Structures are given as structure tokens and as C-alpha cells.
Amino acid sequence: MNYFNNYRCTRCGQEYEPDRVKYLCPVCSKDYQPGMPLPGILECVFDYARIAIAWQEFCIAFPSANPSQKIEELCELFSPLNKEYYPNLPVGNTPLICSQSLVGESLYLKFDGVNPSGSYKDRASNLVVAEAKRLGIKEIVTASTGNAAASLAALCAAAGIKAVIFAPAKAPPAKLVQIKIHKAELHLVEGTYDDAFAAALAYSATHECLNRNTAYHPFTIEGKKTGGLELYAQLGVVPDYIFVPTGDGVILCGIAKAFYDLKEAGIADRLPILVAAQSESSDAITSYWETGVYKDAAKPQTVADSISVKTPSAAHLALKVLKDTKGMGIRVSDEEILSAQKMLASRTGIFCEPSSAATLAAYFQAREHALIKDQAIVVLMLTGHGLKDINAVKFDD
Ligand SMILES: *Cc1c(COP(=O)(O)O)cnc(C)c1O
Ligand SMILES: [Zn+2]
């Protein structure tokens, strides 16, 4: 039993029955060309009235439910798939750490490096692999800067499904090792992540398989929603600000979707302010938010490989999310990222990827420019484990 009703196009609003469409809105995606942000991304629409009732019943039956129990319930109520399809490898329910040691006041750190493959991507892979199981599909393809591939490889291994990966040859070695040890089929692309994205689309157009390209399959956003649901269950309130490391913009959109859904079901009363933390060299979503005109990032080259994207696939939806939540984009330099990474590791015990440390660097900028209200509840999404890219770390001595 679940409460998933329909897909809805985030551009034209047209609704589609599940199983009648697979990826993008058939109308809005007509003139899609590789190398542009995806038009007509689909979102899942639920029966919010029935979810509201089910949540009320849960709260009455378990008045002293702990955060983990609430997470389990919320993730089940707002999932488009029944539990039975999920791979046998637990994903999510990651710790939320309240730290005073970074800036003197409380900052919440959501550490997703503890997921099975070490990143937030497991949330999306989990749901797409479950979908393949439901459909009886035996092969899943994806493009990746590294983490999505490592994640798909692991979850496919758990489910006995073949993973086919297109990744840039320059991906950090640990991520390539993850892909290989899980026995995924690896195609190294001489070029960028954006080239890999196009190669994976071409592959699924000619092979019997499911495509997990981020934002292209609607369940990537839907899977990445669970991190937002968890924040709500762990804090007991909607946080004021959530800083999200942003490349394609799908984690940003997924976290936003959690709060759109919670609000729609009358469970939460407002949206958090979402902040896209971007590398200054990979800032297409921030520029789009500033100018209202979409333009590719000129030269995406950053130590934070996971957020290195020229053409963010979810750019249009990410812009809507920043507007709806009165959010903003913030650019940070590699230097700021690496210093934030060290600060997190030495003061909180969390060793995260450079991409994830971009959130702390962006938070410092936001404070410096007085963009954060006093006493606000602020969450930084630390999306990946530092061991995935040890070559990024430089020591002065
Ligand atoms: C993919 C990834 C991101 C960025 O997510 P997008 O959906 O591309 O914006 C951030 N951090 C880590 C660790 C990632 O793997
Ligand atoms: Zn449409």
C-alpha cells in the first residue's frame, strides 16, 4: 500500500499516471538536446489528505515515538514504492549532529557520509533500484561524477541487478575502485561529467534498461527527498536554513520536495530557506538565480568533484526552489572549501568530501554578509565521506 497518485510535470503541470511515462514530460521534453538543463522534470504527487490522516493516527498511537521511528513512518508514507522492493542494504537514517565547536553557536550537521557507499546518492539509487525490481528490469545505467556510480554499483550488487556506468576518467580513484569492486560495468568517458550524461542517455535509448541519470529519472529527486523528511523528524520542527552542496541541483530539489510534501499534507507549516552552496567555477545555478537567465558554467574545474557540473540537469527546478523558499546561491572558492573541510575534521570529528565542506564555507560567507537571522536553526548537509577523495587534502607541514 502506498499513497503515490501521479507524476506531474514541473514545467507545464500536466499529470501522468505512473507507468504511462518513465522519465521526462513527453510534451515539454520534445525539443530536448543533450547539453541543456532538462526540460519537464516530473515530480511525484501523493494523496496528501490520506497521508495526513495516517500521520495523525501514527502520532496518536505512538505519542513518544523517537526520531528513528518517525523517520521510518514519514519515509514510508511519502514513498512512491512499497518497502518490499527496496534493496537489502539500509540507506538513510543518518545522524544529525548539533555542534557548538565551529562558530560558538549551534549548527546542525547532517552527515550522509555514513551511507553504505559513503554518500547522499544512496538515497536516489535505493529508490531507482527498487523501481527496477518492481518492473523486473535487470540493468540500470547512469552517468556520474563518481558518487552516483559508486552508489548505484553498491545498491545494484545488493539487488542482483547489473549496473552500467559512464564516468569521467578523471573521477577520484577511490570512487572508481568502488564501482569496480561492486562489479559494475565501467565506461570511462574522455571528457567531462556532462559528456558522460549524454553517453548514458544514448545507452538507455538503445538498451533494455532503466536510466538513473540524476533528475532524468523522477525517483532520483524523490529518493533524495528522504534526507529532508529525516531533518523534520530529527529536529521536530522545520529548520530555518538548509545549506546544500549543489552541482546538478537534485539534492536541493529533493530536500525541497520533502518540505513541499510535508506542507501539502498539513504536517509542516512552512518551507525552510534553502541555500545552494556552489563552487565558484561551477556556479550555473547561482548565476541563474541572480540573473534569471540560464547560462552554462564557463569552466567547471574544482577540487569538489561532486559538484563540478557545467550544465546542471535540474537548473530550472532548482531556480524555482530557490525562489519558493526565498533562498539563495552562494559561490565559494577551492581555498575556502579546503579550509572548511579541515575545520570540520579537526573540530567536529567529521571528515567529509570537499563538496560537502562547501556548505560550511558558504555559511561563513552568509554570516559575514549578515544573511542569516539571529537564533536561526541552520543545517549543513554533509553529503559525502572524506575518504572518497584523499588526494584533495593538502597539508601545509
Ligand atoms: C552529487 C553530490 C552533490 C551534489 O548533488 P546535486 O544533486 O548534483 O546538486 C553533493 N555532494 C556529494 C557528496 C555528491 O555526491
Ligand atoms: Zn510538461
Side-chain angles (χ1 to χ4, degrees):
M1 225 264 307
N2 70 64
Y3 300 99
F4 176 34
N5 273 354
N6 275 330
Y7 286 123
R8 183 171 57 208
C9 173
T10 55
R11 189 168 98 169
C12 72
Q14 179 67 47
E15 294 204 8
Y16 300 96
E17 271 172 47
D19 291 327
R20 311 251 346 226
V21 291
K22 214 161 156 191
Y23 302 114
L24 303 174
C25 168
V27 179
C28 293
S29 64
K30 270 209 182 98
D31 31 50
Y32 169 68
Q33 304 261 320
M36 61 196 261
L38 299 176
I41 293 171
L42 298 177
E43 64 182 353
C44 295
V45 182
F46 293 82
D47 186 337
Y48 296 103
R50 283 177 55 221
I51 289 177
I53 294 166
W55 177 247
Q56 257 174 8
E57 285 171 357
F58 172 82
C59 293
I60 291 166
F62 306 101
S64 49
N66 65 35
S68 286
Q69 291 165 320
K70 287 184 186 164
I71 286 172
E72 199 184 338
E73 180 70 12
L74 284 176
C75 288
E76 202 173 326
L77 290 177
F78 286 104
S79 173
L81 291 180
N82 296 349
K83 257 197 203 158
E84 68 202 79
Y85 297 114
Y86 284 90
N88 186 20
L89 190 63
V91 166
N93 197 359
T94 59
L96 182 68
I97 299 135
C98 181
S99 171
Q100 262 94 36
S101 54
L102 286 165
V103 286
E105 40 198 271
S106 296
L107 254 187
Y108 287 92
L109 310 171
K110 177 81 168 156
F111 187 40
D112 253 55
V114 300
N115 274 305
S117 84
S119 86
Y120 200 94
K121 297 290 194 291
D122 285 346
R123 297 177 183 275
S125 300
N126 194 33
L127 195 56
V128 176
V129 171
E131 174 73 341
K133 280 176 69 181
R134 183 182 74 83
L135 296 169
I137 293 174
K138 291 279 170 231
E139 183 177 330
I140 307 178
V141 62
T142 197
S144 174
T145 62
N147 280 340
S151 164
L152 183 67
L155 285 146
C156 277
I161 287 174
K162 178 180 170 192
V164 179
I165 309 298
F166 290 88
K170 284 196 301 264
K175 299 183 184 183
L176 297 176
V177 166
Q178 286 185 287
I179 295 166
K180 286 187 203 159
I181 194 122
H182 292 302
K183 285 267 188 238
E185 184 179 302
L186 175 60
H187 301 262
L188 287 176
V189 177
E190 287 308 326
T192 61
Y193 164 63
D194 301 86
D195 299 317
F197 200 95
L201 287 181
Y203 184 93
S204 60
T206 50
H207 291 74
E208 179 94 26
C209 65
L210 204 58
N211 187 311
R212 182 224 175 274
N213 274 15
T214 195
Y216 184 62
H217 197 294
F219 282 4
T220 53
I221 293 181
E222 207 52 37
K224 286 178 169 184
K225 172 175 96 174
T226 55
L229 296 175
E230 289 179 16
L231 285 182
Y232 180 74
Q234 289 170 315
L235 290 164
V237 293
V238 177
D240 296 305
Y241 299 85
I242 307 176
F243 283 70
V244 185
T246 300
D248 275 307
V250 176
I251 299 182
L252 185 83
C253 294
I255 291 170
K257 179 64 162 48
F259 292 95
Y260 289 125
D261 277 1
L262 287 166
K263 197 158 168 270
E264 197 68 36
I267 296 172
D269 54 353
R270 63 194 176 101
L271 301 174
I273 294 172
L274 291 193
V275 183
Q278 293 211 281
S279 153
E280 61 187 9
S281 81
S282 199
D283 61 346
I285 287 173
T286 300
S287 305
Y288 196 13
W289 168 74
E290 284 168 342
T291 63
V293 181
Y294 176 78
K295 213 169 136 251
D296 282 348
K299 199 165 183 244
Q301 225 173 42
T302 162
V303 67
D305 66 294
S306 302
I307 51 173
S308 178
V309 181
K310 183 171 157 199
T311 313
S313 54
H316 301 313
L317 193 55
L319 178 65
K320 178 180 178 294
V321 161
L322 292 182
K323 284 185 176 164
D324 285 354
T325 67
K326 303 189 169 51
M328 59 193 138
I330 293 181
R331 295 180 183 84
V332 295
S333 68
D334 279 4
E335 217 182 334
E336 289 172 287
I337 287 173
L338 292 173
S339 115
Q341 185 191 31
K342 280 186 187 162
M343 186 185 269
L344 277 161
S346 61
R347 296 200 196 167
T348 72
I350 298 175
F351 180 24
C352 65
E353 268 194 48
S355 59
S356 311
T359 56
L360 179 61
Y363 173 72
F364 283 136
Q365 278 196 30
R367 266 173 57 110
E368 197 178 306
H369 298 109
L371 299 171
I372 304 278
K373 289 178 218 120
D374 285 345
Q375 307 292 319
I377 300 176
V378 179
V379 179
L380 308 183
M381 301 303 290
L382 305 181
T383 44
H385 203 292
L387 288 174
K388 281 173 162 281
D389 189 9
I390 54 170
N391 293 330
V393 183
K394 301 273 181 301
F395 297 102
D396 314 323
D397 37 56

